[in-house]
Amino acid sequence: MTKAIEEVYAALKRSFKGSLLRPDDAEYPNARRIWNGLVARRPGLIARCNDSNDVQAAVRAAGSAGVTTAVRCGGHSLAGFSSCDDGLVIDLSPMRKVQVFPETRSARFEGGCLLGSIDSATQTVGLAFPAGVVSHTGAAGLVLGGGTGWLNRLHGLSCDNVRGFTVVVADGSLVHASASENADLFWALRGGGGNFGVVTEFEVTLHAVSSVLFGRGLCPGDEVLGLLRHWREFMPEGPDNLRWGFSLKTAPHDENTPADLRGSPIASASALWVGDLNEGRRYVDRAFAIGNHKVITKKVMSFSTLQTLADSDFPHGRRYYTKAGYFKTLNDESISIMLEALATNPSVANEIELAYLGGAAARVAPGETAFGDRSAPFVLNLLGNWSDPADDSKNISWIRGLFARLRPAMVPGVYVNFMSGDEDDRVPEAYRERWERLRAIKTIYDPSNFFRLNQNIPPLTAVATGIPE
Ligand SMILES: Cc1cc2nc3c(=O)[nH]c(=O)nc-3n(C[C@H](O)[C@H](O)[C@H](O)COP(=O)(O)OP(=O)(O)OC[C@H]3O[C@@H](n4cnc5c(N)ncnc54)[C@H](O)[C@@H]3O)c2cc1C
């Protein structure tokens, strides 16, 4: 334990209501782990906060001791930002309270909530918050970066559905941000990630969603070009209720995969309809009519079931690496490059994910939130997923090589939540024309860059050390 961490521990132990875990504590080995097994760090102290007073105390103590500090909600940062070596982790996992207000179609949830905690509470009254597709993801990191998922075409990004934030800023004070209060901070928190403080509570808009129609199918590699050509022509005019996307991958050798597809390139297609189910059947049927799909399933299911379908595909502790970007148009050459790359894919769990944003998310003006421009609708996420450390370099090289080949066809921009930890140079690219405004707001709320373990937006004039009391 360093002297500075001892100082933080001594300052907190008197009145901290949550738990303070040090490397010798029995709970520490589990508590230090985050979702991405590629990132293994050993913080000096993990402060599991029970409430906003605990968060304020932790921020003040770490600030005055000059200790590197990570903030954790669900621990799903692909880049591994929610941990650090030797420093402090402010862990919000005890703060998972959700309050739902059906009469105003709104909810308040605490800064440590997982998506599953929010869905469980809101679905009891048939409402939903538009967020991500895996229920064990943390809501705070996801919403602060933007938040894409099944409902975005119908109801916008997660950050578009936030009405207010309660946030502990770098001097330890508790600030409220909404359209009418600290409006600059409200703007910055909708896409600017964890740069501005620790959000202890979100106030959000909910939408009526109960049963949905969901279809899945496997398209053989030699049909994929034709299918994606059809998709790219159809989606710009497609209804907001339809979310249709693909994961290009190598078919696994398992009993759910037809024998003739195993080991070859495929597109795993998914088509979701939210709304009138009879109308939806026409669209979902149409999505699977092209491409000679195999093993097609179409089911009406509850929204809660939909939200947990992908949970087991992304287990904790495996090794993950990602690179992402946007295409304004998806050309044939890019599709061919993706398919060719699958011939040398080192892991059957690796995926080339293709989504089409558009819809309500794209109707939010670029200047309205820090998330910014949504005019390039084709979202690409290259996700490496493997288990053996000996395979790290071949998987990372495969993702980097494929990204480099696709990059010339992309437009500038990247979604901060789909970035790895080695992409600092792309953070200004993520924010482009919003960069200077974000830096100015950062300078007001975090002049010494205390909150820097994130896709970092540095303040305009970094103060050397120390956070004012
Ligand atoms: C399995 C999986 C599925 C995913 N699916 C989607 C998806 O469908 N849609 C999508 O948009 N993204 C998705 N993502 C990406 C996801 O949005 C990011 O990984 C996000 O950072 C996860 O949030 P978290 O709270 O779990 O992360 P953490 O690792 O806890 O934190 C991530 C960042 O947010 C900051 N942070 C965390 N909590 C707070 C807080 N309370 N206040 C201020 N800052 C905070 C941290 O400091 C860190 O910089 C997925 C990721 C994974 C691993």
Side-chain angles (χ1 to χ4, degrees), residues 8 50 116 167 184 320 364 421:
V8 174
N50 270 10
V167 46
D184 258 12
Y320 299 92
V364 174

Side-chain angles (χ1 to χ4, degrees), residues 192-197 431 442 446 449 451-452 454-458:
N195 274 285
F196 303 94
Y431 295 112
K442 173 82 172 177
D446 184 12
N449 208 6
F451 297 108
R452 61 181 173 278
N454 41 48
Q455 300 300 356
N456 195 234
I457 300 165

Side-chain angles (χ1 to χ4, degrees), residues 46-330:
I46 301 171
R48 286 197 158 155
C49 301
N50 270 10
D51 58 22
S52 55
N53 291 331
D54 277 356
V55 177
Q56 288 180 283
V59 168
R60 286 192 173 121
S64 67
V67 162
T68 303
T69 299
V71 179
R72 184 183 306 168
C73 169
H76 276 44
S77 157
L78 284 139
F81 288 132
S82 40
S83 192
C84 56
D85 280 323
D86 305 321
L88 172 71
V89 172
I90 296 180
D91 177 352
L92 281 82
S93 57
M95 295 175 60
R96 293 198 172 150
K97 192 160 80 197
V98 183
Q99 293 170 276
V100 181
F101 308 101
E103 62 290 353
T104 52
R105 291 203 171 173
S106 63
R108 288 171 184 268
F109 59 82
E110 288 189 304
C113 278
L114 303 184
L115 300 187
S117 359
I118 300 166
D119 290 334
S120 307
T122 58
Q123 279 292 285
T124 56
V125 291
L127 296 173
F129 173 60
V133 302
V134 172
S135 76
H136 48 75
T137 312
L142 181 136
V143 175
L144 290 167
T148 62
W150 295 119
L151 300 180
N152 293 149
R153 286 177 47 76
L154 203 51
H155 298 303
L157 299 178
S158 306
C159 68
D160 302 334
N161 287 279
V162 181
R163 299 176 182 188
F165 301 89
T166 305
V167 46
V168 176
V169 296
D171 68 2
S173 56
L174 200 62
V175 174
H176 189 257
S178 67
S180 57
E181 214 179 338
N182 299 306
D184 258 12
L185 181 60
F186 181 58
W187 175 84
L189 288 167
R190 288 174 295 152
N195 274 285
F196 303 94
V198 184
V199 176
T200 55
E201 188 177 79
F202 296 78
E203 297 143 47
V204 300
T205 298
L206 304 177
H207 302 272
V209 180
S210 48
S211 293
V212 299
L213 174 61
F214 184 68
R216 262 183 176 167
L218 301 181
C219 170
D222 52 4
E223 301 271 354
V224 171
L225 179 60
L227 175 64
L228 293 184
R229 279 179 175 158
H230 176 78
W231 177 67
R232 76 184 175 202
E233 301 304 319
F234 174 79
M235 282 312 285
E237 304 304 323
D240 293 356
N241 313 64
L242 180 71
R243 198 182 194 273
W244 182 16
F246 304 91
S247 165
L248 310 189
K249 51 191 187 183
T250 309
H253 287 267
D254 67 23
E255 67 281 7
N256 300 321
T257 308
D260 56 332
L261 293 186
R262 291 176 198 163
S264 0
I266 51 159
S268 170
S270 59
L272 173 76
W273 180 269
V274 186
D276 178 82
L277 295 177
N278 286 327
E279 192 187 355
R281 273 185 196 97
R282 289 208 316 273
Y283 282 99
V284 172
D285 287 352
R286 184 174 165 178
F288 293 103
I290 300 142
N292 192 21
H293 288 82
K294 315 284 180 203
V295 233
I296 300 171
T297 54
K298 296 174 203 165
K299 279 189 196 152
V300 173
M301 59 180 68
S302 68
F303 181 69
S304 302
T305 303
L306 174 78
Q307 286 292 89
T308 54
L309 279 184
D311 282 6
S312 58
D313 295 339
F314 305 101
H316 291 76
R318 282 176 65 86
R319 307 172 84 78
Y320 299 92
Y321 182 81
T322 193
K323 277 198 177 282
Y326 299 103
F327 297 104
K328 201 130 204 155
T329 54
L330 183 62

Side-chain angles (χ1 to χ4, degrees), residues 283-413:
Y283 282 99
V284 172
D285 287 352
R286 184 174 165 178
F288 293 103
I290 300 142
N292 192 21
H293 288 82
K294 315 284 180 203
V295 233
I296 300 171
T297 54
K298 296 174 203 165
K299 279 189 196 152
V300 173
M301 59 180 68
S302 68
F303 181 69
S304 302
T305 303
L306 174 78
Q307 286 292 89
T308 54
L309 279 184
D311 282 6
S312 58
D313 295 339
F314 305 101
H316 291 76
R318 282 176 65 86
R319 307 172 84 78
Y320 299 92
Y321 182 81
T322 193
K323 277 198 177 282
Y326 299 103
F327 297 104
K328 201 130 204 155
T329 54
L330 183 62
N331 63 33
D332 284 1
E333 195 194 344
S334 298
I335 299 169
S336 302
I337 290 172
M338 294 177 208
L339 290 168
E340 273 165 38
L342 288 173
T344 56
N345 175 15
S347 164
V348 284
N350 289 346
E351 296 184 46
I352 302 169
E353 296 175 340
L354 280 170
Y356 188 92
L357 195 58
R363 291 192 287 274
V364 174
E368 220 171 292
T369 64
F371 184 90
D373 181 29
R374 296 115 187 260
S375 63
F378 295 94
V379 185
L380 171 81
N381 186 22
L382 306 178
L383 181 63
N385 172 348
W386 67 100
S387 56
D388 188 344
D391 295 335
D392 286 357
S393 82
K394 64 182 174 196
N395 281 286
I396 292 171
S397 305
W398 184 76
I399 298 281
R400 285 182 179 154
L402 175 54
F403 180 77
R405 292 183 68 202
L406 293 170
R407 177 80 153 156
M410 292 179 191
V411 294

